[in-house]
Amino acid sequence: MNGASKSFKLVVLIMILFASFQGLAKSENDENKEVDTKDEVTEYILHHIKDAHDFHLFSYTSGEGERKHVGFPLPIILWTSNGLTTFMSSEFHHNDDGHVIVEKNGLKFAKIHSKIYELESGASEVSFDDGHHATNASKVLDLSITKSVFGVLLVGLLMFLAFSSLARQYKKKQIPTGFGRVLEPLVIYVRDEIARPNIGEKKYRRFTGYLLTVFFFIWILNLLGLTPLGFNVTGQLAVTAALAIFTLVIYTVSGNKDYWMHILWMPGVPILIRPVLAVIELAGALLIKPFSLLVRLFANISAGHIVVMSLIAIMFTLKESLTVGGATALSLLLSFFITLIEVLVAFLQAYIFTMLSALFIGMAVEEHDHH
């Protein structure tokens, strides 16, 4: 156990060191310089939590003074005026002016602030107005495999393999072995402590599969977000909104007559008040509940990434006030403890989202007693 504990601490420390080294990279607008000033650090952190068309792992300066970037590209898939166009994101390499024109399928494309634009016919470069908005290019329908999409597909594949193995062991009535022994207590916990008490004995089995999927999906993605790969999938509004919409659709479609009666025509209150209550209850069921789900997950995960990277940036922002060794030691120490807290938050946010989803579903399918 002592050896395993030391190995775990070493892995976490290496992750932090790797992440701090990654922080030396400049944001997409100017990757030929190192991040030094407070404004540059802020710009980099805000850029880091956004989605991207490729994986940028870290940067370093070669002996010749040239800035090198290490990572790998992802597929670009665009629906344009000429139909489907595909190429790799590596073609959007950076040069001195920051914009490279990619010619494919008789069209020209440029990436501006992480968005891909199609240039007008005859244009050879991007023109900007005073607000730095492109004047001779328009956005295209971007269906690319971005970093977040890659993360979703990766976690989906891992879950499929892990739970398929666990299901086969259950089917053979075997005691789970290997990684299945780790999954089994978590599956039982979600079933017995989240689904059953919130939905009820009669109907909890119907929704346990969804709750298990949501719990493990969010939890694993949150853990991946703590690795140097730079995943911030659950810190993207599009992802958390999609998860919240799934819960909304399930409890809306599954709601029984009593549930809709209490929303649309509340019993036991004066008739004149019922229309007002109906508007409030509808807003709560269709807007406020899913909004609370998506914002809570998005805000907590994004804030966690910002805090960790801000603490790592102490070695840059305080290098004039402290010695290089002192600033680095303070940065690593604070980042280490915050990262450990983020491991707990990764589980906690998955638990909260799953618990609230079960609660909303339980309220929709609950059978009310009439006296």
Side-chain angles (χ1 to χ4, degrees):
M1 287 296 292
N2 291 334
S5 177
K6 291 180 180 179
S7 299
F8 173 75
K9 293 178 180 178
L10 179 61
V11 169
V12 174
L13 182 59
I14 291 174
M15 287 169 55
I16 295 174
L17 289 171
F18 193 5
S20 65
F21 186 54
Q22 183 187 21
L24 295 174
K26 180 67 176 170
S27 65
E28 185 175 298
N29 294 330
D30 184 4
E31 292 188 346
N32 296 318
K33 299 179 182 179
E34 294 182 355
V35 171
D36 285 323
T37 66
K38 182 178 179 180
D39 292 338
E40 289 174 344
V41 168
T42 301
E43 179 186 355
Y44 177 80
I45 291 174
L46 294 178
H47 173 77
H48 176 80
I49 63 175
K50 296 179 180 179
D51 200 3
H53 287 90
D54 55 6
F55 273 91
H56 174 232
L57 299 178
F58 63 91
S59 301
Y60 66 95
T61 303
S62 64
E64 295 76 19
E66 183 181 359
R67 197 68 177 156
K68 299 289 186 179
H69 310 289
V70 178
F72 56 90
L74 293 171
I76 299 290
I77 306 172
L78 306 174
W79 186 261
T80 66
S81 57
N82 284 359
L84 193 66
T85 301
T86 61
F87 52 93
M88 297 301 292
S89 62
S90 56
E91 300 201 30
F92 281 122
H93 60 85
H94 290 79
N95 56 9
D96 293 336
D97 62 11
H99 299 291
V100 171
I101 307 301
V102 175
E103 297 189 27
K104 292 289 179 182
N105 199 20
L107 302 173
K108 297 179 180 179
F109 304 96
K111 188 165 69 170
I112 308 169
H113 302 305
S114 300
K115 303 292 183 182
I116 298 179
Y117 292 77
E118 178 184 338
L119 273 64
E120 295 177 353
S121 178
S124 58
E125 61 181 16
V126 184
S127 301
F128 298 95
D129 57 17
D130 296 336
H132 201 69
H133 298 115
T135 58
N136 63 339
S138 57
K139 290 183 180 180
V140 296
L141 180 59
D142 192 351
L143 305 174
S144 305
I145 306 298
T146 63
K147 188 161 60 174
S148 293
V149 174
F150 181 84
V152 170
L153 296 176
L154 175 62
V155 171
L157 177 61
L158 293 176
M159 290 177 60
F160 176 78
L161 295 176
F163 285 101
S164 295
S165 175
L166 182 61
R168 285 194 296 269
Q169 294 179 27
Y170 277 136
K171 188 175 181 180
K172 296 178 181 179
K173 297 182 179 181
Q174 296 178 346
I175 297 176
T177 58
F179 192 64
R181 300 185 71 173
V182 178
L183 295 176
E184 184 183 35
L186 292 172
V187 170
I188 294 174
Y189 178 81
V190 172
R191 184 195 67 184
D192 293 345
E193 302 298 330
I194 298 179
R196 181 174 285 169
N198 288 286
I199 300 177
E201 289 288 342
K202 295 182 179 179
K203 299 183 179 180
Y204 80 92
R205 290 181 178 273
R206 178 182 172 189
F207 304 100
T208 299
Y210 170 72
L211 297 177
L212 285 170
T213 302
V214 168
F215 175 80
F216 283 99
F217 182 77
I218 295 175
W219 184 39
I220 297 173
L221 281 175
N222 289 348
L223 292 177
L224 280 179
L226 300 177
T227 66
L229 292 175
F231 281 111
N232 186 31
V233 181
T234 46
Q236 306 294 331
L237 270 177
V239 175
T240 59
L243 293 172
I245 289 174
F246 285 140
T247 298
L248 168 65
V249 171
I250 288 175
Y251 71 71
T252 300
V253 173
S254 303
N256 55 30
K257 184 175 69 173
D258 290 332
Y259 170 74
W260 288 109
M261 178 64 70
H262 279 74
I263 288 180
L264 300 176
W265 202 247
M266 183 73 71
V269 298
I271 294 180
L272 294 178
I273 304 297
R274 293 183 182 183
V276 178
L277 289 177
V279 174
I280 296 173
E281 290 292 331
L282 274 175
L286 302 180
L287 296 176
I288 298 175
K289 287 179 181 178
F291 183 76
S292 67
L293 286 175
L294 73 93
V295 168
R296 180 181 289 104
L297 180 59
F298 161 77
N300 280 280
I301 299 303
S302 296
H305 286 289
I306 292 173
V307 169
V308 171
M309 297 199 68
S310 298
L311 292 175
I312 292 172
I314 287 178
M315 68 176 68
F316 306 108
T317 56
L318 295 183
K319 65 181 181 181
E320 296 181 358
S321 304
L322 302 174
T323 63
V324 175
T328 302
L330 178 62
S331 173
L332 292 179
L333 181 64
L334 293 176
S335 301
F336 178 80
F337 287 110
I338 291 298
T339 302
L340 293 181
I341 293 174
E342 282 298 301
V343 173
L344 174 62
V345 171
F347 176 85
L348 187 61
Q349 289 305 314
Y351 168 80
I352 291 174
F353 192 100
T354 308
M355 173 66 76
L356 290 178
S357 295
L359 182 63
F360 296 157
I361 294 172
M363 293 169 61
V365 301
E366 179 185 8
E367 297 291 344
H368 297 273
D369 296 327
H370 298 281
H371 300 286

